[in-house]
Amino acid sequence: MRAHSTLVLILAASGMAFSQGAVAAGPDATLWNGTWHLNAAKSKFASPGKEASETRSYYLSGGKLTVKSSSKDPAGKELQFSYSAAFDGKFYPMTGNPNADSISLTAVSAHEIKATSKLKGNVSVQSTATVAADGKHLTLRRKMLRIKGAPTDVLEFDR
């Protein structure tokens, strides 16, 4: 019986070490790094903040993700924002975004990143970004918590 308990303990410890290693590996830079262009025709906007166009650049290095975005709304008004954040759940500054002034990132897998954004200390946006296995398509699902009904937009990006 004692040998059985020891075996169970070893297997449990091995499983925990494996799962922590898988999470620690984080997103795959070869999938994320580069320039992404909004495919407005395939995107679905539930919030009033519809973009007519957007270009995002992702650069993942040393456990940090740097994002730069440049977009235009249907009236041609330009918006640019950027941030650099680690995947440690801490909040990092974001500049230029009227919906958020800080962001927290969590790596779910090599293909998926979850983000929580705050504006003046209050959670304003929750999003999940997922890159397709072939690295050619990015889907960003964002829930706009500051807007009544918390609409969810689904933005589709291509390389």
Side-chain angles (χ1 to χ4, degrees), residues 19-60:
S19 67
Q20 288 176 348
V23 171
D28 181 349
T30 60
L31 294 173
W32 290 90
N33 286 353
T35 302
W36 298 89
H37 303 280
L38 178 69
N39 186 331
K42 289 184 179 178
S43 299
K44 295 177 180 79
F45 295 92
S47 69
K50 180 179 182 176
E51 290 104 273
S53 67
E54 182 177 4
T55 300
R56 288 178 171 232
S57 65
Y58 284 74
Y59 180 67
L60 180 61

Side-chain angles (χ1 to χ4, degrees), residues 83-144:
Y83 64 85
S84 185
F87 299 97
D88 57 8
K90 296 179 183 176
F91 281 88
Y92 292 85
M94 180 186 298
T95 59
N97 191 332
N99 296 306
D101 54 22
S102 64
I103 190 163
S104 168
L105 301 178
T106 305
V108 176
S109 70
H111 296 267
E112 188 172 278
I113 297 170
K114 290 197 180 276
T116 299
S117 300
K118 288 184 177 181
L119 181 63
K120 298 179 183 175
N122 296 314
V123 175
S124 56
V125 181
Q126 290 179 325
S127 60
T128 301
T130 307
V131 174
D134 65 5
K136 295 180 181 180
H137 186 76
L138 168 70
T139 300
L140 177 68
R141 286 178 176 78
R142 68 178 180 201
K143 190 169 190 171
M144 307 297 286

